[in-house]
């Protein structure tokens, strides 16, 4: 009986020992797991503190470098008042001719046959006078000894913004970085290449404003099919490639969420507050002096970052540059299909501005040959243009598909042709286009990344530049106006006007933010207003081994 109880007690003692050993092992594992978790949390916090300290240091450094660079040109930098007046004289000269030409055209039907020749002589002389005034204004920028400052500041500011975008897209610690995912679930099938690039640009602007690295999931393929985009352009990021994060919310979510998913349908919403019409506050003083339309320059910088070509793409474009014998002076002619007007009428409207450019060029110093680069969706237009204007040398991508491999499909050729058109249109001395089409807008945006004076290098036949449905063009009244005709609105000095269009007859249309009235007013009585925003600097260093 005693042996029986001894066995029972021995069994209980053994089970207790096993239980205690198990508990101790579990506790050790829990402590080890807790230690690793705490260590990881501590490491992330240290990384964030390091990044924060780097941000503060680099913000001060960036501002000091910008100030130092600007001060190094003291004595060569034009004043803001000087550049404002120079540009306003140029703009008002054009507005005066728009008004005079509209009046000439209205009077032309009233002139009797015997006075027709005299009327045409007066109109022609007035036009020559107008072109002479434009030329004098253009020469002023060449002789005022500020050209070197304009070019160097232009290069410096562009380099600074590209550096900031690179820092944004290549965070120090990708796993802990805040991200914005550009979602393409509801993209319109009619949205072509230039339309999709503008959507991507809008995504990047929103990411920049909110301090988030932009991620475009490769599996979506909404920019191009397959790996076409990656074969032509550099990736948006070299080090931060996935959308993983601890917390994920749909846009707008909240500031603490690590990952936000943005639906492209938000771009259609006019209430979206992140329009790209505000320029960085720290760059605004230099940009107001440097550029005639800082908003377009700012948008162009995002486009420049997005469309960074791969070496193979640059080699292809350089080869075509030589094959086409692309030379200056040359005018870019971007003609999109427009069923509202007969083709011959539309062509003559374009060509009147091309002719005007070369007449001013002839007054200045002459030219060897009149050249046009034609971009069009209508392959028959090239022959029509050559036949009607035989004194022009005309080159076009329409002649180029045979240069591509026969194995390429039509879609690839179309994308290549668009890229080629954008490349050459942006490098023309002057651009005649329609801003109602993405192609014309994008060519002009790219031109603004190449020339400090791009705002005087274009004519749009159908209105002002406006980012696709996302931007107000704010003007301020500098001269009061009392309505004298139906449809006009009152202006008081200092009134803010949301500009809708310039009708190229001396009048513009818009809405007064004071009276909320919409209507016409003389274009010369307002001047553009630049809006600013305090954007981040994105100084965090790029990690060499942080590719996720």
């Amino acid at each position: 009986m005693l042996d029986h109880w001894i066995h029972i007690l021995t069994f209980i003692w053994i089970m207790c020992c096993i239980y205690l050993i198990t508990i101790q092992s579990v506790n050790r594992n829990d402590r080890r797991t807790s230690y690793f978790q705490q260590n990881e949390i501590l490491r992330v916090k240290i990384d964030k503190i390091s990044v924060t300290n780097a941000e503060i240091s680099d913000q001060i450094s960036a501002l000091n470098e910008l100030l130092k660079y600007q001060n190094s040109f003291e004595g060569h930098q034009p004043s803001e008042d000087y550049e404002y007046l120079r540009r306003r004289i140029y703009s008002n000269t054009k507005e005066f001719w728009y008004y005079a030409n509209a009046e000439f055209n209205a009077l032309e039907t009233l002139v009797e046959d015997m006075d027709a020749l005299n009327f045409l002589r007066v109109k022609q002389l007035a036009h020559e006078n107008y072109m002479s005034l434009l030329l004098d204004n253009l020469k002023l920028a060449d002789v005022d000894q500020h050209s070197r400052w304009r070019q160097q500041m232009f290069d410096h500011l562009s380099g600074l913004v590209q550096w900031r975008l690179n820092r944004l897209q290549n965070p120090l610690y990708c796993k802990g970085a805040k991200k914005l995912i550009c979602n393409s679930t509801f993209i319109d099938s009619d949205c072509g290449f230039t339309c999709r690039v503008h959507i991507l640009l809008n995504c990047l602007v929103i990411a920049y404003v909110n301090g988030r690295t932009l991620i475009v999931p490769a599996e979506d393929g909404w920019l191009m099919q397959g790996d076409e985009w990656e074969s032509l352009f550099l990736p948006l990021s070299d080090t931060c490639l996935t959308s993983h994060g601890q917390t994920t919310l749909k846009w707008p979510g909240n500031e603490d969420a690590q990952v936000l998913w943005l639906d492209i349908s938000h771009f259609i919403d006019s209430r979206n507050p992140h329009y790209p019409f505000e320029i960085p506050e720290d760059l605004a003083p230099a940009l107001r002096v440097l550029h005639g339309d800082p908003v377009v320059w700012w948008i162009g910088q995002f486009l420049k970052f997005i469309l960074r070509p791969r070496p193979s793409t640059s080699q292809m474009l350089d080869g075509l540059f030589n094959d086409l014998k692309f030379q200056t002076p040359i005018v870019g002619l971007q003609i999109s299909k427009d069923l509202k007007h007969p083709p011959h009428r539309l062509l003559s409207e374009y060509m009147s501005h091309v002719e005007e450019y070369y007449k001013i060029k002839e007054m200045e110093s002459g030219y060897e040959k009149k050249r046009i680069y034609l971009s069009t969706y209508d392959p028959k237009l090239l022959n029509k243009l050559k036949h009607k204007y035989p004194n022009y040398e005309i080159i076009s991508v329409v002649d180029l598909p045979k240069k591509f491999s026969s194995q390429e499909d039509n879609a690839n050729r179309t994308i290549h042709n668009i890229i080629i058109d954008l490349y050459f249109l942006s490098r023309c001395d002057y651009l005649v286009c329609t801003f109602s089409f993405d192609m014309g807008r994008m060519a002009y945006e790219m031109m603004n990344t190449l020339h400090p004076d791009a705002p005087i290098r274009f004519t749009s036949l159908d209105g002002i530049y406006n980012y696709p449905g996302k931007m107000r063009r704010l003007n301020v009244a500098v001269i009061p106006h009392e309505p004298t005709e139906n449809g006009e609105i009152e202006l008081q000095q200092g009134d803010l006007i949301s500009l809708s269009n310039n009708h190229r007859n001396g009048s513009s249309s818009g809405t007064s933010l004071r009276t909320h009235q919409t209507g016409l007013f003389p274009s010369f009585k307002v001047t553009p207003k630049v809006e600013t925003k305090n954007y981040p600097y994105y100084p965090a260093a790029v990690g060499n081994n942080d590719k996720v």
Side-chain angles (χ1 to χ4, degrees):
M1 186 68 179
L2 181 63
D3 291 342
H4 176 72
W5 282 107
I6 290 174
H7 286 305
I8 292 174
L9 291 174
T10 303
F11 176 77
I12 293 172
W13 178 79
I14 292 173
M15 293 302 297
C16 288
C17 288
I18 293 174
Y19 175 75
L20 290 174
I21 292 171
T22 303
I23 290 296
Q24 289 176 357
S25 176
V26 169
N27 287 340
R28 281 196 300 270
N29 288 337
D30 286 346
R31 286 196 298 272
R32 187 180 295 111
T33 302
S34 177
Y35 168 76
F36 284 128
Q37 288 175 342
Q38 292 176 9
N39 184 61
E40 178 66 15
I41 293 171
L42 182 61
R43 188 174 70 82
V44 170
K45 288 183 177 180
I46 290 173
D47 285 341
K48 288 183 177 179
I49 292 172
S50 300
V51 171
T52 302
N53 289 335
E55 287 178 352
I56 295 172
S57 175
D58 278 2
Q59 284 182 15
I60 296 172
S61 176
L63 287 173
N64 286 337
E65 284 298 315
L66 183 60
L67 184 62
K68 179 181 176 182
Y69 191 88
Q70 290 174 331
N71 288 340
S72 70
F73 282 87
E74 190 171 354
H76 300 282
Q77 174 180 338
S79 69
E80 184 175 343
D81 289 341
Y82 169 79
E83 291 292 74
Y84 166 76
L85 287 173
R86 183 176 66 84
R87 294 185 183 116
R88 182 159 170 78
I89 291 170
Y90 177 87
S91 174
N92 284 352
T93 301
K94 297 202 79 167
E95 291 300 333
F96 179 77
W97 172 248
Y98 289 157
Y99 172 76
N101 189 49
E103 293 299 311
F104 276 130
N105 291 338
L107 291 171
E108 193 167 3
T109 58
L110 304 177
V111 176
E112 296 181 3
D113 291 343
M114 65 179 61
D115 295 327
L117 291 177
N118 188 49
F119 176 83
L120 291 175
R121 182 187 64 81
V122 172
K123 182 178 180 180
Q124 182 178 354
L125 187 60
H127 189 223
E128 289 180 4
N129 196 342
Y130 151 73
M131 290 188 293
S132 177
L133 286 171
L134 276 189
L135 179 59
D136 289 343
N137 184 272
L138 294 173
K139 285 182 176 179
L140 186 61
D142 294 329
V143 301
D144 59 15
Q145 300 182 351
H146 300 307
S147 296
R148 182 171 177 267
W149 178 89
R150 292 186 185 105
Q151 187 60 54
Q152 293 194 349
M153 181 56 77
F154 179 80
D155 294 338
H156 172 72
L157 292 180
S158 179
L160 179 61
V161 173
Q162 296 303 305
W163 176 76
R164 290 179 177 180
L165 286 169
N166 185 66
R167 293 299 177 93
L168 170 68
Q169 288 301 109
N170 294 278
L172 176 64
Y173 185 56
C174 181
K175 288 183 179 178
K178 290 184 177 180
K179 303 170 185 177
L180 179 75
I181 313 302
C182 201
N183 189 0
S184 62
T185 306
F186 300 107
I187 193 168
D188 194 327
S189 59
D190 293 333
C191 184
F193 173 77
T194 51
C195 168
R196 292 171 189 240
V197 171
H198 272 135
I199 289 176
L200 178 60
L201 191 155
N202 215 335
C203 287
L204 188 56
V205 169
I206 295 175
Y208 189 98
V209 170
N210 290 275
R212 293 178 175 272
T213 300
L214 178 64
I215 306 291
V216 179
E219 60 271 16
D220 281 4
W222 62 270
L223 275 173
M224 291 184 181
Q225 295 299 319
D227 60 351
E228 290 172 305
W229 181 270
E230 292 182 358
S231 69
L232 292 168
F233 304 106
L234 295 175
L236 293 177
S237 176
D238 296 318
T239 64
C240 200
L241 307 177
T242 67
S243 56
H244 299 317
Q246 291 184 348
T247 55
T248 301
L249 295 176
K250 290 184 178 181
W251 176 266
N254 60 62
E255 187 178 346
D256 295 330
Q258 185 180 354
V259 179
L260 292 180
W261 279 81
L262 176 63
D263 196 312
I264 287 177
S265 61
H266 281 277
F267 294 127
I268 304 172
D269 187 354
S270 61
R271 295 168 297 175
N272 191 325
H274 299 292
Y275 304 157
F277 64 80
E278 297 166 318
I279 64 172
E281 205 169 76
D282 65 315
L283 304 184
L287 278 175
R288 285 193 184 101
V289 178
L290 174 68
H291 201 271
D293 197 349
V295 170
V296 187
W297 179 91
W298 177 237
I299 293 172
Q301 295 306 312
F302 286 86
L303 188 64
K304 180 178 180 179
F305 184 83
I306 289 170
L307 296 182
R308 293 166 299 151
R310 286 195 177 275
S312 57
T313 306
S314 294
Q315 185 177 2
M316 179 265 291
L317 294 171
D318 290 342
L320 289 174
F321 191 94
N322 295 326
D323 290 345
L324 289 172
K325 299 179 181 179
F326 190 87
Q327 302 176 61
T328 59
I330 187 167
V331 176
L333 202 56
Q334 195 280 314
I335 302 180
S336 300
K337 273 188 177 180
D338 189 347
L339 302 179
K340 297 179 182 178
H341 303 288
H344 66 273
R345 178 185 171 189
L346 187 62
L347 186 59
S348 64
E349 289 180 36
Y350 277 95
M351 288 304 297
S352 65
H353 297 284
V354 177
E355 290 282 1
E356 182 176 286
Y357 170 83
Y358 280 108
K359 285 178 181 177
I360 294 175
K361 198 72 179 173
E362 188 174 19
M363 289 180 176
E364 180 185 18
S365 58
Y367 51 83
E368 178 187 358
K369 188 176 293 186
K370 294 193 287 188
R371 301 181 181 90
I372 290 175
Y373 180 86
L374 175 65
S375 166
T376 181
Y377 296 110
D378 183 1
K380 297 179 181 178
L381 189 57
L382 176 61
N383 291 332
K384 187 179 298 183
L385 192 63
K386 287 180 177 180
H387 176 75
K388 196 168 184 180
Y389 299 91
N391 55 333
Y392 281 84
E393 180 181 293
I394 304 169
I395 56 177
S396 176
V397 74
V398 172
D399 288 336
L400 295 179
K402 60 188 178 183
K403 292 183 177 292
F404 298 122
S405 168
S406 58
Q407 296 178 351
E408 292 187 280
D409 58 26
N410 290 332
N412 260 333
R413 286 185 185 150
T414 301
I415 292 169
H416 277 84
N417 288 0
I418 292 173
I419 293 169
I420 293 168
D421 272 346
L422 289 170
Y423 176 83
F424 285 110
L425 286 172
S426 64
R427 281 158 177 78
C428 289
D429 298 291
Y430 199 82
L431 176 65
V432 183
C433 64
T434 50
F435 281 160
S436 60
F437 288 87
D438 271 318
M439 192 75 171
R441 278 195 305 269
M442 189 167 289
Y444 178 57
E445 290 159 358
M446 293 176 66
M447 180 180 276
N448 275 268
T449 69
L450 300 172
H451 303 289
D453 61 347
I456 64 172
R457 290 174 174 259
F458 82 95
T459 292
S460 170
L461 295 186
D462 61 0
I464 61 173
Y465 172 86
N466 203 335
Y467 193 77
K470 296 294 171 190
M471 184 172 73
R472 67 177 181 181
R473 300 292 283 173
L474 203 60
N475 279 234
V476 58
V478 293
I479 301 174
H481 178 68
E482 288 292 333
T484 58
E485 296 181 5
N486 291 334
E488 290 190 342
I489 61 173
E490 175 203 10
L491 297 180
Q492 291 183 7
Q493 194 169 10
D495 280 356
L496 293 179
I497 311 296
S498 180
L499 190 67
S500 300
N501 207 353
N502 183 311
H503 300 283
R504 296 175 55 240
N505 61 2
S507 295
S508 291
S509 56
T511 302
S512 169
L513 302 190
R514 177 179 61 87
T515 65
H516 304 290
Q517 292 181 328
T518 298
L520 298 170
F521 51 87
S523 301
F524 74 93
K525 293 191 175 184
V526 301
T527 192
K529 178 179 175 59
V530 178
E531 297 182 82
T532 64
K533 186 180 181 70
N534 188 18
Y535 287 135
Y537 295 92
Y538 305 107
V542 178
N544 294 325
N545 299 310
D546 195 34
K547 192 169 183 177
V548 178

